[in-house]
Amino acid sequence: MARMRRDNATLIGTLFVLVAASLFASLGPLSRFAGAAGIGAIAFVAWRAGIGALALAVPIALTGGAGASLGALRGLDPRGRSSLAIATMMGVTLNLAIFIAFGRITIALALMLFYTYPAMVAAVAMLTGHEHLTPWRAAALAIASAGVVLVLIGGLDASAGVRIDPLGVVLALTAAASQTVFMTISRHGYSGVPAETATLVILVGSAVGAILAALLAGTVADLLVPFQDLETWPIILIAGILAAGLPAFLFLTAIRRIGGTRTGILMLWEPVVAVVLAAVLLGEHLVALQIAGGALVLAAALILQLSSDPEEEPIAGTVEIV
């Protein structure tokens, strides 16, 4: 019975990660469309997080879950509150760092640096004793990472060269470190709070942080663009609902179900989908190297699904969707 429960949690968690990764992958084209419409990186982060928070708040309120959500937040002990606060802060630094890095260095390079986070998550989990880096996981991590490198190298424009800026490199690695801290602390840190409530809090914090960053950077005018150009609303609504609220909820739920290491490896599916979306929506061409890389990431996902990790159990209090 326990084995069946664990296998079910693993399957559902895997599906959640792959769906979340696919939705997060739309951020590339969406941010490109937003930039063309005059919405800068910081404003895009603010609007995306704000709409995402609203997309979660409405169903919570309509289903009568507001009281339970507030009760869960009030019931957190000091350690849980600190963990949730840190996770929220990491959400802010992650989004600001990676989107600003995109403007300073070649996007493929920024993503290569950012996607070092699954290895960071696995190392931290092993060092802290929270999870074991089994041979199967190590193999999946190596195969998936190699696949991502092929996907991103295949997307480099040789004629344009590679833009390298020290600050951009630091920002991309900062984003990776922020994601590592977020995933590590989100497994157990505030498990008494339902995933949708915790995600709502994190998104609200990200929106507030981005607004403050816009004030400091003097780009407040970018925040007002949607009120001046109504044609930008489809972009920010899709970014908020389908590329923030829903995938962030699925992502956190998956971390609680299957752990940070497995989730991090499966999230390497994101750049594969991003490349496909760029080809479909932006007219960018797929090359054989990228197709081979995508196949490697899929192979890694299959290895993870077929391997057994008997020490893993879903976190108590994790919202059951099925």
Side-chain angles (χ1 to χ4, degrees):
M1 189 67 168
R3 175 62 183 267
M4 184 179 298
R5 178 173 177 268
R6 186 181 67 246
D7 288 346
N8 181 62
T10 299
L11 176 60
I12 298 300
T14 297
L15 292 175
F16 279 10
V17 179
L18 294 177
V19 172
S22 299
L23 292 174
F24 279 137
S26 66
L27 282 173
L30 288 171
S31 63
R32 185 84 63 86
F33 296 148
I39 303 176
I42 297 176
F44 180 71
V45 171
W47 276 107
R48 171 179 169 262
I51 297 294
L54 185 62
L56 288 173
V58 170
I60 289 175
L62 291 179
T63 56
S69 295
L70 290 174
L73 290 172
R74 290 196 191 101
L76 278 176
D77 58 22
R79 183 176 179 180
R81 291 177 184 175
S82 297
S83 296
L84 184 55
I86 292 172
T88 302
M89 195 168 14
M90 291 302 101
V92 175
T93 57
L94 163 62
N95 283 284
L96 291 177
I98 195 61
F99 280 110
I100 295 174
F102 285 160
R104 300 189 70 92
I105 60 177
T106 304
I107 290 179
L109 175 59
L111 290 175
M112 284 184 197
L113 294 170
F114 174 64
Y115 284 110
T116 58
Y117 81 79
M120 295 183 188
V121 170
V124 171
M126 183 177 63
L127 291 173
T128 57
H130 289 158
E131 296 181 41
H132 300 299
L133 186 60
T134 64
W136 285 112
R137 287 185 185 178
L141 177 58
I143 292 171
S145 298
V148 168
V149 170
L150 292 181
V151 167
L152 297 176
I153 287 178
L156 286 174
D157 186 349
S159 62
V162 178
R163 286 186 296 128
I164 299 179
D165 169 73
L167 179 57
V169 170
V170 170
L171 287 171
L173 290 174
T174 297
S178 298
Q179 184 78 309
T180 300
V181 174
F182 175 86
M183 294 181 69
T184 300
I185 206 168
S186 294
R187 171 70 167 157
H188 297 281
Y190 44 94
S191 57
V193 178
E196 67 272 21
T197 304
T199 304
L200 172 60
V201 171
I202 292 167
L203 288 174
V204 169
S206 295
V208 172
I211 291 171
L212 293 176
L215 290 171
L216 292 174
T219 59
V220 177
D222 287 356
L223 294 170
L224 303 178
V225 170
F227 298 112
Q228 300 163 350
D229 183 0
L230 298 181
E231 292 184 359
T232 61
W233 279 100
I235 299 172
I236 61 174
L237 286 174
I238 293 173
I241 297 171
L242 296 182
L246 178 57
F249 162 70
L250 295 175
F251 181 50
L252 177 56
T253 304
I255 292 172
R256 291 180 170 184
R257 281 178 175 265
I258 61 177
T261 300
R262 185 187 289 265
T263 299
I265 297 171
L266 290 170
M267 280 298 292
L268 292 171
W269 178 240
E270 180 182 347
V272 177
V273 179
V275 166
V276 175
L277 289 178
V280 174
L281 300 176
L282 302 176
E284 298 181 2
H285 298 292
L286 281 172
V287 299
L289 204 60
Q290 292 174 307
I291 296 173
L296 286 178
V297 175
L298 281 176
L302 181 61
I303 288 172
L304 282 177
Q305 192 58 35
L306 294 177
S307 64
S308 177
D309 297 290
E311 78 279 2
E312 283 189 0
E313 289 293 338
I315 295 297
T318 298
V319 178
E320 293 293 334
I321 305 299
V322 295

